Amino acid sequence: MSALRLPPLPSVRNIIKMYRLQAVKQLSQNFLLDENITNKIVKYVGKVPNSEVLEVGAGPGAITRSILRRLPKKLVIVEKDKRFKPTLEMLQEAYKTVNGKVDIFYDDILSVDTKSLFSAENARDWEDDCPPIYIVGNLPFSISTVLIIKWLHAMSEQRGAWAHGRVKMTLTFQKEVADRLVAEVEQPHRCRLSVMAQAFTTPKLRFIIPGEAFVPKPDVDVGVVTFVPLERPRTRHEFKLFEKITRHMFSFKQKRCIKCARTLFPKVSQILMADELFDMANVDPNVKATYLSVEDINRITTAYKSLCEKYPEIVGYNYRASRRVITRKDTKSVSIQDYDEE
Ligand code: SAM
C-alpha cells in the first residue's frame, strides 16, 4: 500500500479545539478521530492511488487525511458546513505541496451534480471494470437513507457519478440501517432498502464502528458498507415503479405479502386484483415479504405493469391518499413512512 506523509499538521482533535468546532446536531455531526479506524474505512474504498475520490461530509478531516495519505490524483470534498473551511483548506494546501489536487464545495450533497465532479478521462463503459473513481463518506444519519436511494436511482439510469461507469461507494450508516441494506431473503432485517440496494449493487457490511469511537458519541453503532454496482441490475424496470412495488410489498411486514399487495389496488377490487397479480407473477402469496427475492419483486412489478395496461383505472390509485381520507376523521394524517419501514 503506497502511503504519503503529509507535511506536519495539528491533530484533528486539536483542530476541533482550536476552531471551536462543536458538533451541530442538525447536521448529524459525529466526528471520527481515530486514525486506525479512518485508515480501515479507506482500505475498503478501492485502488486510491491515482484515482479520483469524492468524500461526502469531510468535517474536521480525519477520513480526508487517510484518503490523502493514499495519494489520489484528485480528492473532491462536498461539505455543507462552512465552519470547516480553514481546516479543509489546510489539508488542500498540504496536499498541494506534493502536487496533489483537492477541490472543495461547500454545498448540500443532495443537490450536487456528481457527474461534473469527475473527469471524463477516467470513465469506463458500464460492462468494464469499475473506474478509478470512488465515493466515500461517514454520512450524516439525517440524510443517509434518502441519499442512498437517490444514488441507487441515479445508478439505475447511469446518471450522475454513474455516467462514468460502475463507481464504487463506501459509506457509513447507523448499524440497523446497514443491517437492512445487506439483509438477505428470510433475514429479519429484510425490507425495502435491502431489495433496492441488492437490485442494483452488491452491498457488503465490512465492519462495525462502535459508537464510542465518535465525538460526540451517537446512541448507536455504525456500519461501514461498500456498494459495487451490478453489471446487470436484477431489475430492468423503471426505478420509481420498482421502488413503489417494493414499498407496497413491505407495507405490513408481519402479514402475508398478498395482503400488502392489495394496497396497490382500489378497495372495491383489491382482493381479485391481488390474486391475479400473484398468479401472473408466479409468486407464493402466502409468505411474508421478507421471503421475497429481488427476482420475485421484479416479476410482481412486471405483472403489475400488465394489470395497469389491462385496467387503466388502477394506474393513478394511491393507497396513501385513500388512507389519509379515512384517518382525517380522527384528525391524524398517515405518511407512507408509517407503513414503509419497520
Ligand atoms: N467525515 C467526518 C468524520 O468522519 O469525522 C465528519 C462526519 S459527520 C458524521 C457528517 C458530516 O457531513 C459533517 O461534517 C456535516 O457537516 C456534513 N453534512 C451534513 N449534512 C450534509 C449535506 N447535506 N451535504 C454535505 N455534507 C453534509
Side-chain angles (χ1 to χ4, degrees):
M1 182 197 281
S2 55
L4 166 80
R5 194 175 278 276
L6 289 169
L9 292 163
S11 70
V12 176
R13 194 180 289 278
N14 281 339
I15 279 183
I16 292 175
K17 271 195 206 140
M18 261 159 60
Y19 292 97
R20 299 191 183 163
L21 296 169
Q22 277 187 344
V24 177
K25 213 172 174 184
Q26 290 91 313
L27 291 174
S28 303
Q29 290 179 341
N30 303 97
F31 306 132
L32 279 171
L33 306 179
D34 184 337
E35 200 177 291
N36 292 321
I37 295 179
T38 57
N39 285 344
K40 191 168 172 185
I41 294 173
V42 174
K43 204 183 97 195
Y44 285 106
V45 167
K47 293 178 186 146
V48 173
N50 283 319
S51 70
E52 293 182 279
V53 181
L54 162 63
E55 186 188 4
V56 183
I63 297 178
T64 320
R65 292 177 186 215
S66 293
I67 299 168
L68 293 180
R69 281 194 288 266
R70 301 287 317 283
L71 290 168
K73 188 166 163 196
K74 181 172 91 172
L75 171 65
V76 183
I77 292 170
V78 177
E79 168 56 64
K80 196 169 178 183
D81 188 345
K82 283 202 175 123
R83 292 180 308 148
F84 295 114
K85 203 163 185 272
T87 57
L88 295 177
E89 284 178 359
M90 189 187 295
L91 292 178
Q92 188 178 40
E93 287 307 310
Y95 203 47
K96 242 188 222 166
T97 63
V98 291
N99 298 322
K101 189 166 159 47
V102 179
D103 289 343
I104 310 173
F105 298 92
Y106 298 97
D107 210 337
D108 181 345
I109 188 63
L110 290 168
S111 54
V112 167
D113 167 21
T114 48
K115 180 178 177 187
S116 63
L117 304 178
F118 305 109
S119 55
E121 72 192 40
N122 282 326
R124 299 271 189 282
D125 286 339
W126 192 261
E127 294 72 26
D128 283 354
D129 291 343
C130 296
I133 296 175
Y134 303 103
I135 297 179
V136 56
N138 174 17
L139 295 184
F141 291 160
S142 53
I143 64 161
S144 59
T145 311
V146 176
L147 186 65
I148 190 65
I149 288 290
K150 186 180 157 77
W151 279 354
L152 291 169
H153 188 180
M155 190 185 289
S156 74
E157 294 171 2
Q158 299 179 17
R159 286 188 283 108
W162 296 275
H164 298 279
R166 294 188 293 123
V167 171
K168 180 183 171 187
M169 302 186 278
T170 304
L171 304 170
T172 63
F173 298 87
Q174 298 177 52
K175 180 176 176 299
E176 198 182 324
V177 177
D179 285 338
R180 288 185 200 172
L181 284 160
V182 301
E184 303 278 356
V185 173
E186 292 187 40
Q187 289 183 338
H189 283 98
R190 183 97 171 153
C191 69
R192 173 186 69 118
L193 267 185
S194 340
V195 173
M196 295 312 293
Q198 293 163 29
F200 301 100
T201 73
T202 311
K204 285 200 176 139
L205 176 54
R206 297 303 188 163
F207 66 102
I208 302 295
I209 310 176
E212 291 73 30
F214 296 86
V215 179
K217 175 185 170 304
D219 294 334
V220 290
D221 293 340
V222 166
V224 178
V225 183
T226 57
F227 302 85
V228 176
L230 291 171
E231 195 182 320
R232 287 192 195 83
R234 294 165 74 185
T235 180
R236 292 287 176 185
H237 284 294
E238 199 235 322
F239 185 90
K240 284 207 166 157
L241 177 66
F242 185 74
E243 203 261 343
K244 170 182 164 165
I245 302 301
T246 307
R247 187 165 12 96
H248 278 263
M249 296 316 301
F250 282 93
S251 47
F252 315 109
K253 264 183 78 174
Q254 295 314 319
K255 297 192 177 162
R256 293 181 305 138
C257 60
I258 193 158
K259 278 206 102 170
C260 304
R262 289 178 190 152
T263 61
L264 286 163
F265 306 109
K267 204 158 181 57
V268 57
S269 56
Q270 60 180 200
I271 293 186
L272 287 175
M273 293 261 185
D275 285 349
E276 196 172 343
L277 182 80
F278 275 77
D279 276 353
M280 285 168 83
N282 195 20
V283 171
D284 182 351
N286 295 314
V287 295
K288 289 181 191 163
T290 46
Y291 283 74
L292 298 178
S293 65
V294 173
E295 285 67 28
D296 289 334
I297 296 185
N298 185 49
R299 288 202 308 283
I300 292 171
T301 310
T302 307
Y304 177 76
K305 258 182 109 170
S306 303
L307 284 181
C308 286
E309 277 160 26
K310 195 166 160 193
Y311 309 110
E313 67 276 13
I314 66 177
V315 173
Y317 176 69
N318 184 334
Y319 176 73
R320 189 169 23 161
S322 77
R323 290 263 293 181
R324 244 190 234 127
V325 173
I326 296 162
T327 53
R328 236 180 240 144
K329 276 188 200 153
D330 42 48
T331 62
K332 191 177 159 225
S333 94
V334 171
S335 113
I336 195 101
Q337 293 296 336
D338 291 344
Y339 61 94
D340 184 22
E341 303 284 346
E342 61 281 61

